Amino acid sequence: MHAAGTKGAVFLDRDGTIIHDVGYLGDAAGIRLYPDAVGALRTLQREYALFVVSNQSGIAKGHITREQVDEVNRRLGELLAEHDVRIVAWYVCPHCREDACDCMKPAARFLREAADEYGLDLSRSFVIGDHPHDPATGDAVGAFGLYLLTGHGPQHIDSLPDDRLVFHSLRDAADWIMAHPEPRYGLGREIDFAAETIKSGGLAAFPTETVYGLGANALDPAAVARIFEVKERPLDDPLIVHVAQQSQLAGLVAGIPGKAARLVEALWPGPLTLVLPKLPVVPDIVTAGHPTVAVRMPSNAVARRLIAAAGVPVAAPSANRFGRTSPTTAAHVIGQLGFGWGVIVDGGACRVGVESTVLSLVEDRPVLLRPGGAPLEEIERLIGRVELPGGADAAKPMSPGMLQRHYAPSTPLRIVPSLEPWLERADVGILAFSPLAGRPAGPVETLTQGGDLTEAAVNLYAAMRRLDGRGLALIVAQEVPNHGLGRAVNDRLRKASNPLSEAMPQGV
Ligand code: TXA
Ligand code: MG
Protein backbone atom coordinates (compact mmCIF):
# COMPACT_ATOMS: atom_id res chain seq x y z
CA MET A 1 0.00 0.00 0.00
CA HIS A 2 1.42 3.38 -0.99
CA ALA A 3 0.91 6.54 1.03
CA ALA A 4 -2.08 8.56 -0.17
CA GLY A 5 -1.15 11.27 -2.63
CA THR A 6 -2.09 14.90 -2.46
CA LYS A 7 -3.50 15.46 -5.92
CA GLY A 8 -7.19 15.18 -6.72
CA ALA A 9 -8.45 13.42 -9.85
CA VAL A 10 -11.62 13.32 -11.93
CA PHE A 11 -12.62 9.88 -13.20
CA LEU A 12 -14.89 10.10 -16.21
CA ASP A 13 -17.11 7.58 -17.86
CA ARG A 14 -16.63 7.65 -21.64
CA ASP A 15 -19.89 6.78 -23.45
CA GLY A 16 -22.78 9.09 -22.64
CA THR A 17 -20.42 11.35 -20.68
CA ILE A 18 -17.62 12.56 -23.00
CA ILE A 19 -18.91 11.13 -26.28
CA HIS A 20 -22.38 10.12 -27.45
CA ASP A 21 -23.31 6.59 -26.44
CA VAL A 22 -23.92 4.76 -29.72
CA GLY A 23 -23.63 1.28 -28.21
CA TYR A 24 -20.57 -0.96 -28.77
CA LEU A 25 -18.44 1.63 -30.53
CA GLY A 26 -15.84 -0.35 -32.48
CA ASP A 27 -14.85 2.22 -35.09
CA ALA A 28 -13.12 5.51 -34.32
CA ALA A 29 -15.06 7.12 -37.16
CA GLY A 30 -18.15 6.82 -34.94
CA ILE A 31 -16.75 9.07 -32.18
CA ARG A 32 -19.07 12.03 -31.55
CA LEU A 33 -17.86 14.34 -28.80
CA TYR A 34 -20.47 16.24 -26.81
CA PRO A 35 -20.14 19.86 -27.94
CA ASP A 36 -19.17 21.19 -24.51
CA ALA A 37 -16.98 18.24 -23.43
CA VAL A 38 -13.63 19.71 -24.49
CA GLY A 39 -14.26 22.99 -22.68
CA ALA A 40 -15.38 21.15 -19.54
CA LEU A 41 -12.30 18.90 -19.54
CA ARG A 42 -9.98 21.87 -20.05
CA THR A 43 -11.54 23.55 -17.04
CA LEU A 44 -11.21 20.42 -14.89
CA GLN A 45 -7.58 19.73 -15.76
CA ARG A 46 -6.55 23.10 -14.34
CA GLU A 47 -6.97 21.46 -10.91
CA TYR A 48 -7.37 17.73 -11.46
CA ALA A 49 -5.69 14.81 -13.20
CA LEU A 50 -8.18 13.31 -15.69
CA PHE A 51 -8.85 9.58 -16.12
CA VAL A 52 -11.34 7.68 -18.25
CA VAL A 53 -12.92 4.58 -16.71
CA SER A 54 -15.20 2.77 -19.09
CA ASN A 55 -17.11 -0.47 -19.11
CA GLN A 56 -17.09 -2.16 -22.52
CA SER A 57 -19.22 -5.25 -22.00
CA GLY A 58 -19.47 -5.54 -25.80
CA ILE A 59 -16.04 -7.21 -25.62
CA ALA A 60 -17.28 -10.05 -23.37
CA LYS A 61 -20.42 -10.35 -25.48
CA GLY A 62 -18.43 -10.64 -28.71
CA HIS A 63 -19.78 -7.48 -30.38
CA ILE A 64 -16.42 -5.69 -30.43
CA THR A 65 -12.80 -6.61 -29.72
CA ARG A 66 -10.44 -5.22 -27.12
CA GLU A 67 -8.24 -3.95 -29.96
CA GLN A 68 -11.13 -1.97 -31.42
CA VAL A 69 -11.86 -0.39 -28.04
CA ASP A 70 -8.20 0.50 -27.56
CA GLU A 71 -8.14 2.05 -31.03
CA VAL A 72 -11.24 4.16 -30.29
CA ASN A 73 -9.67 5.31 -27.02
CA ARG A 74 -6.37 6.11 -28.73
CA ARG A 75 -8.14 8.18 -31.37
CA LEU A 76 -10.32 9.95 -28.77
CA GLY A 77 -7.16 10.70 -26.80
CA GLU A 78 -5.67 12.27 -29.94
CA LEU A 79 -8.78 14.33 -30.58
CA LEU A 80 -8.70 15.64 -27.02
CA ALA A 81 -4.93 16.27 -27.18
CA GLU A 82 -5.50 18.48 -30.24
CA HIS A 83 -7.42 20.71 -27.79
CA ASP A 84 -4.72 20.42 -25.09
CA VAL A 85 -6.77 18.01 -22.99
CA ARG A 86 -4.65 15.24 -21.49
CA ILE A 87 -6.17 12.02 -20.19
CA VAL A 88 -3.58 10.55 -17.80
CA ALA A 89 -4.73 6.94 -18.20
CA TRP A 90 -7.57 4.92 -19.74
CA TYR A 91 -9.13 2.00 -17.87
CA VAL A 92 -11.38 -0.51 -19.61
CA CYS A 93 -13.48 -3.22 -17.99
CA PRO A 94 -14.12 -5.77 -20.77
CA HIS A 95 -16.59 -7.89 -18.78
CA CYS A 96 -20.33 -8.16 -18.50
CA ARG A 97 -22.18 -8.13 -15.20
CA GLU A 98 -22.52 -11.93 -15.06
CA ASP A 99 -18.71 -12.24 -15.00
CA ALA A 100 -18.73 -10.71 -11.48
CA CYS A 101 -15.32 -9.17 -12.13
CA ASP A 102 -13.70 -6.77 -9.69
CA CYS A 103 -13.15 -4.05 -12.29
CA MET A 104 -16.69 -3.19 -13.30
CA LYS A 105 -18.19 -0.09 -11.75
CA PRO A 106 -19.21 0.36 -8.97
CA ALA A 107 -16.16 -1.73 -7.95
CA ALA A 108 -13.33 0.70 -7.27
CA ARG A 109 -10.36 -1.36 -8.45
CA PHE A 110 -9.28 1.02 -11.23
CA LEU A 111 -9.54 4.05 -8.94
CA ARG A 112 -7.29 2.41 -6.37
CA GLU A 113 -4.81 1.40 -9.06
CA ALA A 114 -4.73 4.96 -10.37
CA ALA A 115 -4.27 6.35 -6.86
CA ASP A 116 -1.31 4.05 -6.23
CA GLU A 117 0.32 4.67 -9.54
CA TYR A 118 -0.15 8.44 -9.79
CA GLY A 119 -0.16 9.43 -6.12
CA LEU A 120 -3.79 10.61 -5.98
CA ASP A 121 -5.86 11.64 -2.99
CA LEU A 122 -9.15 9.85 -3.68
CA SER A 123 -10.94 11.78 -0.92
CA ARG A 124 -10.36 14.91 -3.02
CA SER A 125 -11.45 13.24 -6.24
CA PHE A 126 -14.65 13.02 -8.28
CA VAL A 127 -16.35 10.38 -10.43
CA ILE A 128 -18.71 11.47 -13.22
CA GLY A 129 -20.97 9.39 -15.43
CA ASP A 130 -24.41 8.76 -16.86
CA HIS A 131 -25.13 5.46 -15.09
CA PRO A 132 -25.89 5.13 -11.34
CA HIS A 133 -22.83 2.88 -11.02
CA ASP A 134 -20.49 5.70 -12.06
CA PRO A 135 -20.94 8.00 -9.07
CA ALA A 136 -21.44 4.97 -6.78
CA THR A 137 -17.88 3.96 -7.66
CA GLY A 138 -16.76 7.15 -5.96
CA ASP A 139 -18.57 6.29 -2.74
CA ALA A 140 -16.51 3.13 -2.34
CA VAL A 141 -13.29 5.17 -2.00
CA GLY A 142 -14.56 8.36 -0.34
CA ALA A 143 -14.56 10.30 -3.63
CA PHE A 144 -17.57 12.39 -4.69
CA GLY A 145 -19.89 11.10 -7.43
CA LEU A 146 -21.80 13.27 -9.91
CA TYR A 147 -24.50 12.03 -12.26
CA LEU A 148 -25.15 13.35 -15.76
CA LEU A 149 -28.48 13.65 -17.53
CA THR A 150 -26.74 13.06 -20.88
CA GLY A 151 -26.43 9.58 -22.45
CA HIS A 152 -28.45 7.00 -20.55
CA GLY A 153 -28.79 9.31 -17.54
CA PRO A 154 -32.52 10.04 -17.92
CA GLN A 155 -33.36 6.33 -18.40
CA HIS A 156 -31.79 5.15 -15.14
CA ILE A 157 -32.81 8.03 -12.95
CA ASP A 158 -35.42 5.98 -11.09
CA SER A 159 -32.70 3.84 -9.52
CA LEU A 160 -30.58 6.85 -8.50
CA PRO A 161 -30.53 7.68 -4.76
CA ASP A 162 -32.27 10.98 -3.83
CA ASP A 163 -29.07 12.50 -2.48
CA ARG A 164 -27.07 12.13 -5.69
CA LEU A 165 -26.42 15.45 -7.44
CA VAL A 166 -27.34 15.48 -11.13
CA PHE A 167 -26.25 17.82 -13.95
CA HIS A 168 -27.53 18.63 -17.43
CA SER A 169 -24.05 18.35 -18.96
CA LEU A 170 -20.37 17.69 -18.30
CA ARG A 171 -19.87 21.47 -18.52
CA ASP A 172 -22.28 22.07 -15.62
CA ALA A 173 -20.67 19.27 -13.58
CA ALA A 174 -17.20 20.75 -14.18
CA ASP A 175 -18.33 24.20 -13.05
CA TRP A 176 -19.83 22.71 -9.90
CA ILE A 177 -16.63 20.79 -9.09
CA MET A 178 -14.49 23.90 -9.54
CA ALA A 179 -16.76 25.78 -7.12
CA HIS A 180 -16.79 22.91 -4.60
CA PRO A 181 -13.25 21.58 -4.09
CA GLU A 182 -14.43 20.14 -0.77
CA PRO A 183 -17.87 19.06 -2.01
CA ARG A 184 -19.50 17.67 1.12
CA TYR A 185 -18.29 20.48 3.33
CA GLY A 186 -19.01 23.16 0.72
CA LEU A 187 -22.55 22.01 0.02
CA GLY A 188 -23.24 21.50 3.74
CA ARG A 189 -22.13 25.06 4.41
CA GLU A 190 -24.36 26.45 1.66
CA ILE A 191 -27.33 24.55 3.10
CA ASP A 192 -26.64 25.76 6.67
CA PHE A 193 -26.23 29.34 5.52
CA ALA A 194 -29.50 29.15 3.57
CA ALA A 195 -31.29 27.65 6.59
CA GLU A 196 -30.01 30.48 8.82
CA THR A 197 -31.12 33.02 6.22
CA ILE A 198 -34.65 31.57 6.08
CA LYS A 199 -34.83 31.40 9.89
CA SER A 200 -33.96 35.06 10.16
CA GLY A 201 -36.59 36.19 7.63
CA GLY A 202 -34.51 36.19 4.43
CA LEU A 203 -34.80 34.40 1.09
CA ALA A 204 -32.93 31.34 -0.14
CA ALA A 205 -33.11 29.70 -3.56
CA PHE A 206 -32.66 25.94 -3.50
CA PRO A 207 -32.98 22.91 -5.77
CA THR A 208 -35.94 20.59 -5.64
CA GLU A 209 -36.43 17.55 -7.88
CA THR A 210 -38.77 19.62 -10.09
CA VAL A 211 -37.32 23.13 -10.45
CA TYR A 212 -35.38 25.57 -8.24
CA GLY A 213 -37.54 27.24 -5.58
CA LEU A 214 -37.27 30.71 -4.03
CA GLY A 215 -37.97 30.02 -0.37
CA ALA A 216 -38.91 31.91 2.78
CA ASN A 217 -40.31 30.98 6.19
CA ALA A 218 -43.95 30.19 5.32
CA LEU A 219 -45.11 31.33 8.76
CA ASP A 220 -43.53 34.80 8.43
CA PRO A 221 -45.73 37.09 6.28
CA ALA A 222 -43.05 39.76 5.83
CA ALA A 223 -40.53 37.20 4.58
CA VAL A 224 -43.12 35.76 2.19
CA ALA A 225 -43.93 39.26 0.90
CA ARG A 226 -40.30 39.56 -0.25
CA ILE A 227 -40.76 36.53 -2.50
CA PHE A 228 -43.55 38.30 -4.38
CA GLU A 229 -41.41 41.42 -4.62
CA VAL A 230 -38.29 39.67 -5.96
CA LYS A 231 -40.29 37.56 -8.43
CA GLU A 232 -42.55 40.46 -9.42
CA ARG A 233 -45.38 38.04 -8.86
CA PRO A 234 -48.96 39.27 -8.41
CA LEU A 235 -50.20 38.80 -4.86
CA ASP A 236 -53.25 36.83 -6.03
CA ASP A 237 -51.09 33.84 -7.00
CA PRO A 238 -50.69 31.56 -3.95
CA LEU A 239 -47.48 29.74 -3.02
CA ILE A 240 -46.69 26.11 -2.28
CA VAL A 241 -45.54 25.33 1.27
CA HIS A 242 -42.68 22.80 1.39
CA VAL A 243 -42.15 20.42 4.29
CA ALA A 244 -39.30 18.06 5.19
CA GLN A 245 -41.47 15.35 6.77
CA GLN A 246 -44.91 13.90 6.17
CA SER A 247 -45.89 14.64 9.76
CA GLN A 248 -45.61 18.41 9.15
CA LEU A 249 -48.72 18.31 6.95
CA ALA A 250 -50.99 17.96 9.97
CA GLY A 251 -49.70 21.28 11.34
CA LEU A 252 -50.77 23.18 8.22
CA VAL A 253 -54.13 21.75 7.11
CA ALA A 254 -57.49 21.42 8.86
CA GLY A 255 -57.75 17.69 8.24
CA ILE A 256 -56.27 14.90 6.13
CA PRO A 257 -58.92 13.02 4.15
CA GLY A 258 -58.35 9.36 3.27
CA LYS A 259 -57.42 10.11 -0.34
CA ALA A 260 -54.77 12.62 0.79
CA ALA A 261 -53.36 10.11 3.27
CA ARG A 262 -53.10 7.48 0.53
CA LEU A 263 -51.31 9.86 -1.84
CA VAL A 264 -48.92 11.08 0.86
CA GLU A 265 -48.11 7.51 1.81
CA ALA A 266 -47.40 6.45 -1.78
CA LEU A 267 -45.99 9.57 -3.47
CA TRP A 268 -44.30 11.70 -0.79
CA PRO A 269 -41.58 12.69 -0.92
CA GLY A 270 -42.06 13.56 -4.58
CA PRO A 271 -43.43 15.98 -7.17
CA LEU A 272 -47.04 16.05 -5.92
CA THR A 273 -48.63 19.12 -4.28
CA LEU A 274 -51.87 18.71 -2.35
CA VAL A 275 -54.35 21.56 -1.84
CA LEU A 276 -56.39 21.23 1.37
CA PRO A 277 -58.31 23.55 3.75
CA LYS A 278 -55.75 25.48 5.78
CA LEU A 279 -55.24 26.05 9.49
CA PRO A 280 -55.09 29.67 10.76
CA VAL A 281 -51.32 29.36 11.33
CA VAL A 282 -50.79 29.67 7.55
CA PRO A 283 -50.65 33.40 6.71
CA ASP A 284 -53.07 34.81 4.12
CA ILE A 285 -50.25 36.12 1.95
CA VAL A 286 -49.08 32.52 1.35
CA THR A 287 -52.49 31.39 0.12
CA ALA A 288 -53.47 34.69 -1.57
CA GLY A 289 -56.39 34.92 0.80
CA HIS A 290 -57.78 31.48 -0.11
CA PRO A 291 -59.01 29.29 2.74
CA THR A 292 -56.85 26.48 1.30
CA VAL A 293 -53.12 25.79 1.25
CA ALA A 294 -50.91 23.88 -1.18
CA VAL A 295 -48.34 21.61 0.48
CA ARG A 296 -45.61 19.37 -0.84
CA MET A 297 -42.68 17.35 0.44
CA PRO A 298 -39.85 17.41 -2.12
CA SER A 299 -37.73 14.31 -2.67
CA ASN A 300 -34.56 16.27 -3.42
CA ALA A 301 -32.21 15.57 -0.49
CA VAL A 302 -30.71 19.09 -0.50
CA ALA A 303 -34.21 20.60 -0.27
CA ARG A 304 -35.20 18.33 2.60
CA ARG A 305 -31.98 18.98 4.53
CA LEU A 306 -32.51 22.70 4.10
CA ILE A 307 -36.16 22.67 5.22
CA ALA A 308 -35.31 20.45 8.19
CA ALA A 309 -32.40 22.72 9.20
CA ALA A 310 -34.57 25.84 8.88
CA GLY A 311 -37.02 24.19 11.28
CA VAL A 312 -40.04 25.83 9.61
CA PRO A 313 -42.22 25.04 6.59
CA VAL A 314 -40.83 26.86 3.54
CA ALA A 315 -43.04 28.75 1.07
CA ALA A 316 -41.44 28.61 -2.36
CA PRO A 317 -42.52 29.34 -5.90
CA SER A 318 -40.20 28.56 -8.80
CA ALA A 319 -37.18 30.88 -8.64
CA ASN A 320 -37.82 32.80 -11.86
CA ARG A 321 -39.38 36.13 -12.65
CA PHE A 322 -43.12 35.83 -12.88
CA GLY A 323 -44.29 34.31 -16.16
CA ARG A 324 -40.80 33.24 -17.28
CA THR A 325 -39.19 29.84 -17.81
CA SER A 326 -38.58 27.97 -14.56
CA PRO A 327 -34.93 27.40 -13.56
CA THR A 328 -33.50 23.89 -13.39
CA THR A 329 -29.97 24.97 -12.36
CA ALA A 330 -28.49 27.54 -9.96
CA ALA A 331 -27.03 29.40 -12.95
CA HIS A 332 -30.55 29.77 -14.41
CA VAL A 333 -31.70 31.31 -11.11
CA ILE A 334 -28.90 33.88 -11.17
CA GLY A 335 -29.60 34.54 -14.86
CA GLN A 336 -33.21 35.40 -14.01
CA LEU A 337 -33.01 37.06 -10.61
CA GLY A 338 -29.44 38.36 -10.49
CA PHE A 339 -27.89 38.83 -7.05
CA GLY A 340 -28.72 40.81 -3.96
CA TRP A 341 -32.06 39.29 -2.98
CA GLY A 342 -30.74 36.47 -0.74
CA VAL A 343 -28.66 33.31 -0.92
CA ILE A 344 -28.58 30.32 -3.22
CA VAL A 345 -27.76 26.66 -2.68
CA ASP A 346 -26.16 25.16 -5.78
CA GLY A 347 -27.28 21.54 -5.72
CA GLY A 348 -26.87 20.83 -9.43
CA ALA A 349 -29.77 20.26 -11.82
CA CYS A 350 -33.37 19.23 -11.12
CA ARG A 351 -33.95 15.64 -12.09
CA VAL A 352 -37.68 15.84 -12.93
CA GLY A 353 -37.46 19.15 -14.77
CA VAL A 354 -41.11 20.28 -14.69
CA GLU A 355 -43.05 21.55 -11.68
CA SER A 356 -45.03 19.37 -9.31
CA THR A 357 -48.52 18.12 -10.09
CA VAL A 358 -51.02 20.26 -8.14
CA LEU A 359 -54.10 18.36 -6.97
CA SER A 360 -57.02 19.83 -5.03
CA LEU A 361 -58.60 17.58 -2.41
CA VAL A 362 -60.77 20.33 -1.00
CA GLU A 363 -63.93 18.73 -2.35
CA ASP A 364 -64.58 15.02 -2.24
CA ARG A 365 -63.89 14.80 -5.96
CA PRO A 366 -60.14 15.41 -6.58
CA VAL A 367 -59.32 18.07 -9.21
CA LEU A 368 -56.10 18.32 -11.19
CA LEU A 369 -55.06 21.98 -10.98
CA ARG A 370 -51.75 21.59 -12.80
CA PRO A 371 -50.28 18.53 -14.52
CA GLY A 372 -46.68 17.98 -13.41
CA GLY A 373 -44.00 15.60 -12.25
CA ALA A 374 -46.37 13.03 -10.70
CA PRO A 375 -48.22 11.35 -13.59
CA LEU A 376 -52.02 11.54 -13.49
CA GLU A 377 -52.20 7.80 -14.25
CA GLU A 378 -50.36 7.02 -11.01
CA ILE A 379 -52.62 9.32 -8.96
CA GLU A 380 -55.78 7.80 -10.44
CA ARG A 381 -54.49 4.30 -9.71
CA LEU A 382 -54.27 5.27 -6.04
CA ILE A 383 -57.47 7.32 -5.52
CA GLY A 384 -59.68 6.77 -8.55
CA ARG A 385 -61.06 9.35 -11.00
CA VAL A 386 -59.58 12.85 -10.99
CA GLU A 387 -61.43 15.74 -12.57
CA LEU A 388 -59.42 17.51 -15.25
CA PRO A 389 -59.20 21.24 -15.87
CA GLY A 390 -61.28 22.10 -18.90
CA GLY A 391 -64.21 20.27 -17.32
CA ALA A 392 -67.49 21.83 -16.21
CA ASP A 393 -65.79 24.59 -14.19
CA ALA A 394 -63.24 25.57 -16.80
CA ALA A 395 -64.42 29.17 -16.98
CA LYS A 396 -63.44 29.73 -13.36
CA PRO A 397 -59.78 28.91 -12.83
CA MET A 398 -59.41 27.31 -9.40
CA SER A 399 -55.68 27.77 -9.41
CA PRO A 400 -53.80 30.72 -10.86
CA GLY A 401 -51.33 28.19 -12.26
CA MET A 402 -54.07 27.14 -14.65
CA LEU A 403 -54.16 30.51 -16.37
CA GLN A 404 -52.90 30.46 -19.94
CA ARG A 405 -49.65 32.26 -19.28
CA HIS A 406 -46.44 31.29 -17.48
CA TYR A 407 -43.23 29.45 -18.19
CA ALA A 408 -42.48 31.54 -21.26
CA PRO A 409 -39.14 32.24 -23.00
CA SER A 410 -38.76 35.82 -24.27
CA THR A 411 -38.61 34.62 -27.88
CA PRO A 412 -42.13 33.93 -29.19
CA LEU A 413 -42.92 30.22 -29.15
CA ARG A 414 -45.52 28.62 -31.36
CA ILE A 415 -46.90 25.08 -31.29
CA VAL A 416 -47.15 23.73 -34.82
CA PRO A 417 -48.75 20.57 -36.22
CA SER A 418 -45.63 19.81 -38.27
CA LEU A 419 -42.04 21.05 -38.02
CA GLU A 420 -41.45 20.35 -41.71
CA PRO A 421 -42.36 23.83 -43.10
CA TRP A 422 -39.95 25.55 -40.66
CA LEU A 423 -36.80 23.59 -41.34
CA GLU A 424 -35.44 26.02 -43.95
CA ARG A 425 -35.69 29.12 -41.76
CA ALA A 426 -32.34 30.01 -40.19
CA ASP A 427 -34.06 32.47 -37.84
CA VAL A 428 -36.44 29.85 -36.42
CA GLY A 429 -35.41 27.51 -33.61
CA ILE A 430 -36.83 23.99 -33.52
CA LEU A 431 -37.86 22.37 -30.23
CA ALA A 432 -38.23 18.76 -31.40
CA PHE A 433 -39.58 15.87 -29.35
CA SER A 434 -37.35 13.26 -31.00
CA PRO A 435 -34.46 13.39 -33.47
CA LEU A 436 -35.32 14.93 -36.86
CA ALA A 437 -34.64 13.17 -40.13
CA GLY A 438 -33.62 16.30 -42.07
CA ARG A 439 -31.05 18.97 -41.28
CA PRO A 440 -32.76 22.25 -40.42
CA ALA A 441 -31.21 25.64 -41.21
CA GLY A 442 -31.79 27.01 -37.69
CA PRO A 443 -30.78 25.65 -34.28
CA VAL A 444 -32.47 22.49 -33.00
CA GLU A 445 -33.03 21.16 -29.49
CA THR A 446 -34.13 17.54 -29.23
CA LEU A 447 -36.00 16.66 -26.04
CA THR A 448 -35.34 12.92 -26.15
CA GLN A 449 -33.25 10.56 -28.26
CA GLY A 450 -35.48 7.53 -27.74
CA GLY A 451 -39.03 8.86 -27.30
CA ASP A 452 -38.88 8.86 -23.49
CA LEU A 453 -41.32 11.35 -21.91
CA THR A 454 -39.42 11.51 -18.60
CA GLU A 455 -36.30 12.52 -20.51
CA ALA A 456 -38.30 15.11 -22.46
CA ALA A 457 -39.46 16.69 -19.18
CA VAL A 458 -35.92 16.79 -17.74
CA ASN A 459 -34.67 18.65 -20.80
CA LEU A 460 -37.65 20.92 -21.53
CA TYR A 461 -36.76 24.16 -19.72
CA ALA A 462 -33.00 23.92 -20.29
CA ALA A 463 -33.67 23.39 -24.02
CA MET A 464 -36.13 26.32 -24.20
CA ARG A 465 -33.57 28.49 -22.43
CA ARG A 466 -30.78 27.60 -24.87
CA LEU A 467 -33.00 28.42 -27.86
CA ASP A 468 -34.11 31.61 -26.14
CA GLY A 469 -30.47 32.70 -25.96
CA ARG A 470 -29.92 32.42 -29.71
CA GLY A 471 -31.61 35.67 -30.75
CA LEU A 472 -34.20 33.93 -32.95
CA ALA A 473 -37.36 35.36 -34.48
CA LEU A 474 -39.44 32.39 -33.38
CA ILE A 475 -39.27 29.01 -31.67
CA VAL A 476 -41.54 26.28 -33.03
CA ALA A 477 -42.41 23.18 -31.06
CA GLN A 478 -44.48 20.07 -31.50
CA GLU A 479 -46.71 18.58 -28.84
CA VAL A 480 -45.51 15.30 -27.33
CA PRO A 481 -47.59 12.16 -26.57
CA ASN A 482 -50.15 13.21 -23.94
CA HIS A 483 -49.60 10.66 -21.18
CA GLY A 484 -47.28 10.30 -18.18
CA LEU A 485 -45.00 13.34 -17.96
CA GLY A 486 -46.01 14.22 -21.52
CA ARG A 487 -49.14 15.85 -20.12
CA ALA A 488 -46.99 18.29 -18.09
CA VAL A 489 -44.68 18.96 -21.05
CA ASN A 490 -47.64 19.80 -23.32
CA ASP A 491 -49.17 22.02 -20.64
CA ARG A 492 -45.93 24.02 -20.33
CA LEU A 493 -45.52 24.26 -24.11
CA ARG A 494 -49.04 25.63 -24.43
CA LYS A 495 -48.47 28.15 -21.67
CA ALA A 496 -45.10 29.17 -23.12
CA SER A 497 -46.82 29.83 -26.44
CA ASN A 498 -49.10 32.43 -24.84
CA PRO A 499 -47.21 35.67 -24.23
CA LEU A 500 -47.81 37.21 -20.82
CA SER A 501 -49.21 40.47 -22.16
CA GLU A 502 -51.95 38.88 -24.27
CA ALA A 503 -53.08 36.34 -21.74
CA MET A 504 -53.06 38.36 -18.52
CA PRO A 505 -56.61 38.59 -17.28
CA GLN A 506 -57.93 42.17 -17.34
CA GLY A 507 -57.73 44.25 -14.18
CA VAL A 508 -55.11 42.18 -12.33
O1 TXA B 1 -42.54 21.92 -8.39
C1 TXA B 1 -43.05 22.88 -7.85
O2 TXA B 1 -44.22 22.87 -7.46
C2 TXA B 1 -42.16 24.13 -7.64
C3 TXA B 1 -41.05 23.78 -6.67
C4 TXA B 1 -40.23 24.99 -6.26
O3 TXA B 1 -41.56 23.13 -5.55
N1 TXA B 1 -42.95 25.21 -7.18
C5 TXA B 1 -43.84 25.87 -7.98
O4 TXA B 1 -44.45 26.92 -7.38
O5 TXA B 1 -44.03 25.56 -9.12
P1 TXA B 1 -45.28 28.01 -8.18
O6 TXA B 1 -45.56 29.05 -7.16
O7 TXA B 1 -44.55 28.43 -9.39
O8 TXA B 1 -46.61 27.30 -8.53
C6 TXA B 1 -47.56 27.03 -7.51
C7 TXA B 1 -48.85 26.59 -8.11
C8 TXA B 1 -49.53 27.72 -8.78
O9 TXA B 1 -50.13 27.26 -9.95
C9 TXA B 1 -50.56 28.13 -7.76
O10 TXA B 1 -51.60 28.80 -8.31
C10 TXA B 1 -50.94 26.78 -7.15
O11 TXA B 1 -49.71 26.10 -7.10
N2 TXA B 1 -51.49 26.95 -5.80
C11 TXA B 1 -50.82 27.28 -4.69
N3 TXA B 1 -51.65 27.38 -3.64
C12 TXA B 1 -52.88 27.11 -4.09
C13 TXA B 1 -54.18 27.04 -3.49
N4 TXA B 1 -54.37 27.31 -2.21
N5 TXA B 1 -55.22 26.72 -4.27
C14 TXA B 1 -55.03 26.45 -5.57
N6 TXA B 1 -53.84 26.49 -6.20
C15 TXA B 1 -52.78 26.81 -5.47
MG1 MG C 1 -22.05 5.93 -19.86
Side-chain angles (χ1 to χ4, degrees), residues 13 15-17 21 130 134:
D13 176 44
D15 300 352
T17 298
D21 190 339
D130 68 323
D134 292 309

Side-chain angles (χ1 to χ4, degrees), residues 321-335:
R321 283 209 198 285
F322 182 67
R324 292 291 171 218
T325 312
S326 298
T328 57
T329 69
H332 294 167
V333 176
I334 294 163

Side-chain angles (χ1 to χ4, degrees), residues 208 210-213 231 233 237-240 242 273 275 287 290 292-294 296 316-318 354-356 358 369-370 398-402 406:
T208 79
T210 57
V211 299
Y212 268 71
K231 267 195 70 122
R233 176 172 170 130
D237 196 354
L239 305 179
I240 295 173
H242 297 67
T273 296
V275 176
T287 68
H290 292 272
T292 57
V293 61
R296 97 174 183 95
S318 49
V354 290
E355 293 82 351
S356 61
V358 181
L369 299 182
R370 177 178 74 182
M398 300 174 64
S399 169
M402 289 169 65
H406 251 173

